[in-house]
Amino acid sequence: MTKHIAIIVAGGSGSRMGTKVPKQFHLISDYPVLYHAVDLFSEADLIVVVLHPEYRHYWDDFLERHPETPHHVIVPGGDTRYQSVKNGLNAIPGKTGIVSIHDAARPLASRELVQKAYETALRDGSAVPVIPIEDTVREIDEKGSRIIDRKMLYRVQTPQAFQLPLLREAYEQPFEDHFTDDAALLENMGKKPVFIPGEKYNIKITFPEDFDAASALLRPPPPPY
Amino acid sequence: MTKHIAIIVAGGSGSRMGTKVPKQFHLISDYPVLYHAVDLFSEADLIVVVLHPEYRHYWDDFLERHPETPHHVIVPGGDTRYQSVKNGLNAIPGKTGIVSIHDAARPLASRELVQKAYETALRDGSAVPVIPIEDTVREIDEKGSRIIDRKMLYRVQTPQAFQLPLLREAYEQPFEDHFTDDAALLENMGKKPVFIPGEKYNIKITFPEDFDAASALLRPPPPPY
């Protein structure tokens, strides 16, 4: 089987949570958010966790108490997501494999989505999960507001999976401001990323309310209705 | 206090759920989705439930067993949301008051949001809750994909509240295809709707996965982390 490598990006400082402890280390169902993200890739051949050096001690403390955490290596985060992923990529040995890049702040992605992204990238080169926008969308600015046709609009998620050589080539491009996701790097090379259906409740933990929701959503489902 | 009237729109057939029983009558925490939506407005002076005649029997059966359901009147739904709201509006007596229009499929809105929409409409004429889009947004079509600047994009929710005379005037306009929300009716008259912050987990129940999520989110919160 083609090697599967996961890069878990946990570099952010989580300032929007309004708390001292970064969001990656808050607990959901007794485990840090980062643990859930790492555990999603327990079947991968290699897991690279990209972590801000300032936050290492939270993770190292946790690992001391939880040796059951899937094995992984740690590399330091950079100033941008681009640099953080690049640091993770530089830690990967060899020339082949599928690399899944996943935000630590998305602990609710399913193993099925991880598998689907891997298989799609294996076959087609890349896999970027997206979900449609179900609500009416409005553009609101100082001039007023208007309804935007949302039929073609999608919200982009992770894990995003890529063949290793393609990802290396993408990250050889020097950073530009519009590289806000890995798909943008591919497009900048004239390649078309492959989109797959994401998951509506693969939420990105950003605000305290997300934390409460993630805790609720991770608990065992209620009895059937 | 100025009269508060709620129109609960439960006209849809819920075909996307893939079930026979419409989504408004599935249970969350032992009560139908529609009950939760109605109960949100238990403090209102009048509640008008707009219901497809075909589904009346589900609701009447439930009410027989649950006399604690807030008092309300029922009017038949129309072929479009526009017509359903108009039917509800026609049932409202008098010339003054604040009307909150709420989708039955949004049982997770908070009482605080209901109150905030009421107060804002009382002061400013209207209140339309919106939330920002936190994920990267891409436009994807047959030609390819591109990142869309999401800074000014918002997802529109309910309850949307309006002063009764303004809403009556808005619904005197004959239906046009672009009237996909009540704010569009105001704009068509040259008025600016007032936007207020919505709630990220005021989700619209559309697919079965939303149902599981709503059940989880409605359960009591877990112990503090």
Side-chain angles (χ1 to χ4, degrees):
Chain A
M1 210 178 87
T2 305
K3 202 168 56 169
H4 188 193
I5 306 118
I7 298 178
I8 312 294
V9 186
S13 70
S15 56
R16 283 180 286 193
M17 290 289 287
T19 56
K20 274 198 179 159
V21 176
K23 62 185 175 184
Q24 301 91 318
F25 303 102
H26 283 256
L27 303 185
I28 302 179
S29 304
D30 301 329
Y31 284 84
V33 171
L34 177 56
Y35 174 88
H36 293 287
V38 169
D39 189 54
L40 256 182
F41 293 90
S42 58
E43 305 292 316
D45 301 287
L46 173 63
I47 302 174
V48 179
V49 172
V50 185
L51 199 57
H52 196 291
E54 200 180 323
Y55 304 148
R56 281 251 356 203
H57 67 99
Y58 292 109
W59 190 233
D60 287 337
D61 286 351
F62 171 79
L63 294 174
E64 277 302 304
R65 298 190 310 275
H66 292 279
E68 75 274 23
T69 307
H71 288 229
H72 59 275
V73 295
I74 298 177
V75 305
D79 287 340
T80 58
R81 183 177 194 282
Y82 169 93
Q83 191 58 53
S84 288
V85 173
K86 195 161 182 163
N87 291 357
L89 195 51
N90 286 339
I92 297 173
K95 294 188 172 183
T96 58
I98 300 297
V99 182
S100 291
I101 302 172
H102 189 55
D103 288 332
R106 293 193 188 265
L108 301 192
S110 73
R111 284 173 186 269
E112 290 71 29
L113 183 59
V114 167
Q115 183 63 20
K116 177 78 180 163
Y118 170 85
E119 287 167 5
T120 303
L122 189 61
R123 194 182 59 228
D124 300 329
S126 64
V128 175
V130 297
I131 56 170
I133 300 179
E134 291 162 11
D135 304 305
T136 296
V137 174
R138 285 187 164 268
E139 186 177 39
I140 304 175
D141 55 28
E142 59 291 337
K143 288 190 299 259
S145 109
R146 56 217 69 90
I147 290 180
I148 298 291
D149 184 359
R150 70 176 185 272
K151 279 200 297 292
M152 303 296 173
L153 296 187
Y154 294 84
R155 296 157 60 188
V156 179
Q157 304 184 331
T158 69
Q160 302 186 359
F162 304 90
Q163 291 181 4
L164 178 57
L166 179 66
L167 195 63
R168 285 210 204 277
E169 191 187 342
Y171 273 88
E172 275 160 17
Q173 304 174 97
F175 179 69
E176 296 177 28
D177 277 343
H178 65 99
F179 289 169
T180 59
D181 68 2
D182 298 300
L185 287 161
L186 257 62
E187 288 175 334
N188 203 54
M189 306 193 302
K191 308 242 183 205
K192 286 192 179 181
V194 176
F195 297 101
I196 62 172
E199 294 172 334
K200 189 162 168 183
Y201 296 99
N202 174 13
I203 58 172
K204 185 168 183 173
I205 295 188
T206 309
F207 298 101
E209 69 205 88
D210 299 328
F211 214 91
D212 294 340
S215 300
L217 292 167
L218 257 182
R219 282 181 291 164
Y225 41 87
Chain B
M1 210 179 86
T2 305
K3 202 167 58 169
H4 187 193
I5 306 117
I7 298 178
I8 312 293
V9 187
S13 70
S15 56
R16 283 180 285 192
M17 289 289 286
T19 57
K20 273 198 180 158
V21 176
K23 61 185 175 184
Q24 301 91 318
F25 304 102
H26 283 256
L27 304 184
I28 302 179
S29 303
D30 301 330
Y31 284 84
V33 171
L34 177 55
Y35 174 88
H36 293 286
V38 169
D39 189 54
L40 256 182
F41 293 90
S42 58
E43 304 292 318
D45 300 287
L46 173 64
I47 302 174
V48 179
V49 172
V50 186
L51 199 56
H52 196 290
E54 198 180 324
Y55 303 148
R56 280 250 359 201
H57 67 99
Y58 291 110
W59 190 232
D60 288 336
D61 287 351
F62 171 79
L63 293 174
E64 278 301 305
R65 297 191 310 277
H66 292 279
E68 75 274 22
T69 307
H71 289 232
H72 60 275
V73 295
I74 298 176
V75 304
D79 287 340
T80 57
R81 184 178 193 283
Y82 170 92
Q83 191 57 53
S84 290
V85 173
K86 194 162 183 163
N87 292 356
L89 195 51
N90 286 340
I92 297 174
K95 294 188 173 181
T96 57
I98 299 298
V99 182
S100 291
I101 302 172
H102 188 55
D103 289 331
R106 293 192 188 267
L108 301 192
S110 73
R111 284 173 185 269
E112 289 71 29
L113 183 59
V114 167
Q115 183 63 20
K116 176 79 181 163
Y118 170 85
E119 287 168 4
T120 303
L122 189 61
R123 193 182 61 228
D124 300 328
S126 64
V128 175
V130 297
I131 56 170
I133 301 178
E134 291 162 10
D135 303 304
T136 295
V137 174
R138 284 186 163 269
E139 186 177 42
I140 304 175
D141 55 28
E142 60 290 338
K143 289 191 297 264
S145 109
R146 57 216 70 89
I147 289 180
I148 298 290
D149 184 359
R150 70 177 186 271
K151 278 198 299 292
M152 303 296 174
L153 296 187
Y154 294 84
R155 296 157 60 189
V156 179
Q157 304 184 332
T158 68
Q160 302 185 0
F162 304 90
Q163 291 181 5
L164 178 57
L166 179 66
L167 195 64
R168 284 211 205 276
E169 190 188 342
Y171 273 89
E172 275 161 17
Q173 305 173 97
F175 179 70
E176 296 178 28
D177 277 343
H178 64 99
F179 290 168
T180 59
D181 67 2
D182 299 300
L185 287 162
L186 257 62
E187 288 175 334
N188 202 55
M189 307 193 302
K191 308 242 183 206
K192 285 192 179 181
V194 176
F195 296 102
I196 62 172
E199 295 172 334
K200 189 163 168 183
Y201 296 99
N202 175 13
I203 59 172
K204 185 168 184 173
I205 295 188
T206 310
F207 298 101
E209 70 206 88
D210 299 328
F211 214 92
D212 294 340
S215 300
L217 292 167
L218 257 183
R219 282 182 290 164
Y225 44 89

